[in-house]
Each structure stands twice: as structure tokens, then as C-alpha cells.
Amino acid sequence: MGIKTDHPNAPLLLAQLRGQMLRSQASGDSCIYIDDVGSDSDVEIFPPAAGSSAARPISIDLDPLDNGHADTGANGMLMEAMQRTNMLQLVLFAPQLLSTWCAKLLRDVPRNGRDALDLAGKLPLALKGLDIGLKPEHLLLDCAQAGGLHGRDDGAVLNQKTKVREPIEVKSGIRRRSKRCAFTFKRIDSGQDAQWRHLFLVGRERNPVDWGSLQELDACMWLGYVRRADYDAAVARAGRGRVNDVSVSPGSSRAGWASRIVHWRRFRSLTLEQWNSWLMQS
């Protein structure tokens, strides 16, 4: 597909797709190839045709990305690109990448590496989502740490009531020292430029010894859910600014200004029904 590189969002697409060959879920066209062609104006992405090395460039309109989360109005090719960089797809069909992510988390989370802390929220959420029966089209988690196909957002969810994909924010946090079960989640942005509609808080009582093991994740992790409308109202009541750290304790409505608005479940007790009930409230 030809992409004009002077479009502000073109580098975001190319950065995630360049040089990667990702397996497709159902078809024999098992990967995509990206080649620079011509001058500095276009890049062509070729889905390999079955039984042929030839491929015809396919056009794609990047303008739907201008709203910041690449959601409403995206055409089929853009949605395919978003699925190819969806962590739910990648953990299913790129096991070597899952191993790389797990090694990165083991190495960098104890050192508070920024990219690793972002991944410490997204990867457990992706694995647990698949475990409870979510399909990749229901939960999209951008594999980029920042500036991916979803813009400022971490991905999107399919609202089961409206059947519309809505942007999400994912934050990770570890149990606070000397506290039995209390987590702090850093720098949650609720300004006008933050488009998220759903906030997912992935809290861990300790760092897992194996980030790819559902048994290990179930033993030490919690998932909190917050609707954007509830979050904005709590911020206003507390007289807070645009960016906030949030300290919360599962089961407590008094531990922090945001505690009353978070719906908590242990990973091991999360169900698809519970997930859908959260989204149905929005």
C-alpha cells in the first residue's frame, strides 16, 4: 500500500511494520513485507500473494488517525495493520516475541525501566484477556510503548453495548512497601488531549518469576477498571489537576481519593461476564 511519508502519522505505521513478518491468524498469506521504493514520497507494503512473488500496492487512507486513536472510520487495511501489532495476536502467533518480552520484564522491571513498566501492564492484560475468552478484535493492545497506531492511547476495546471501539489507558503498579495490598499508578492523564474512555489498572503484589505464566499471574495480580466519566468526576471533587498519581487499595473505599471509583478483580477470579459488565456500564 502506498503511504505518503509527509503525512504526520505515516512514521507511526512504518515504525511498527517495517521489516517484520508476522503470522496471520487464518490465511496462508503468513506475513507482510515492507520495502522502500522510488524517492522519498512513498513506501509500499506488499501482502505476499499465494503462489506468487508479485503483489499490487494497495492504497490506505491515514486521515482517520488524525483523531489521535485511529479508531472510528479506519478502513480495512488500517484495521489489519492494527491487528498485526495487537499484543493479543502477537502472543498467539509470535511465541518468540513473547519470550523476548518476558525476558525484558524480568530484567528491566526491577530497575523501573519505562518501557518495561508499560509492558508490565499490557502483557499480563493481553494474556488474561485471552484466558477469559476475549478475542483480538474485542481488545486491541498496541505493542508500541508510545506513538503507535493508536496515537496517545494504549489500544482500544469493543464496547459490547454500542459495538464501537473505544480508546483505553493501561497502567501498571506494584504493591506499596509496608502495605498489605495497596498500589500506586503513576501519571494518569485526564486532560483534553487524553482520549481514553476506559482505564485498566494492573496491580501486582510482587514481580512474577515468569511473566508468561498464567498460573503465576493469577497468583499475584489484580485488575482494576475505571470509567472515564467516573474518573473525571473524582478528579473534579478532589480538586486535582490534569496529571495525577493514584494510590488505591482493592476492597477499600477510603484509601485515596480515587478508591471508590475502581472496580477490582483478582486475575484468578476475572471472567468474561465481569469484563463485559464493566464495559456495558459506559
Side-chain angles (χ1 to χ4, degrees), residues 36-58:
D36 294 313
V37 296
S39 62
D40 59 355
S41 62
D42 293 289
V43 171
E44 291 182 344
I45 300 178
F46 297 109
S52 172
S53 59
R56 182 178 61 183
I58 303 170

Side-chain angles (χ1 to χ4, degrees), residues 76-148:
M77 283 299 297
L78 180 55
M79 285 307 303
E80 181 180 353
M82 293 170 72
Q83 279 294 355
R84 289 182 182 273
T85 55
N86 182 2
M87 292 187 69
L88 274 73
Q89 291 278 22
L90 295 175
V91 299
L92 284 172
F93 300 110
Q96 73 284 1
L97 186 55
L98 175 59
S99 298
T100 299
W101 281 336
C102 291
K104 178 182 179 66
L105 290 167
L106 283 174
R107 181 184 68 245
D108 293 344
V109 165
R111 301 189 295 203
N112 292 322
R114 179 182 176 184
D115 288 0
L117 294 179
D118 179 77
L119 188 59
K122 289 181 180 178
L123 183 58
L125 184 57
L127 292 170
K128 192 60 189 177
L130 290 170
D131 181 53
I132 65 174
L134 284 175
K135 298 179 180 179
E137 57 265 33
H138 294 160
L139 173 61
L140 290 86
L141 290 170
D142 198 338
C143 66
Q145 190 275 328

Side-chain angles (χ1 to χ4, degrees), residues 168-202:
I168 65 174
E169 178 81 358
V170 181
K171 289 291 184 180
S172 71
I174 193 168
R175 181 178 62 86
R176 295 163 58 191
R177 292 181 180 179
S178 75
K179 300 291 184 179
R180 183 180 66 84
C181 192
F183 308 105
T184 296
F185 301 93
K186 298 287 189 178
R187 298 190 59 78
I188 298 176
D189 189 347
S190 60
Q192 292 184 349
D193 292 337
Q195 301 294 319
W196 60 267
R197 294 283 304 277
H198 309 272
L199 172 63
F200 294 96
L201 305 175
V202 181

Side-chain angles (χ1 to χ4, degrees), residues 183-255:
F183 308 105
T184 296
F185 301 93
K186 298 287 189 178
R187 298 190 59 78
I188 298 176
D189 189 347
S190 60
Q192 292 184 349
D193 292 337
Q195 301 294 319
W196 60 267
R197 294 283 304 277
H198 309 272
L199 172 63
F200 294 96
L201 305 175
V202 181
R204 58 192 188 279
E205 297 174 353
R206 56 175 173 79
N207 289 328
V209 296
D210 181 356
W211 286 85
S213 165
L214 278 168
Q215 182 178 3
E216 180 72 358
L217 299 182
D218 281 349
C220 67
M221 290 203 168
W222 293 75
L223 181 63
Y225 169 76
V226 185
R227 292 191 314 147
R228 177 63 182 266
D230 292 340
Y231 186 86
D232 287 346
V235 167
R237 285 194 301 268
R240 296 272 174 163
R242 180 176 66 87
V243 179
N244 292 283
D245 295 348
V246 174
S247 296
V248 284
S249 297
S252 173
S253 61
R254 294 176 294 179

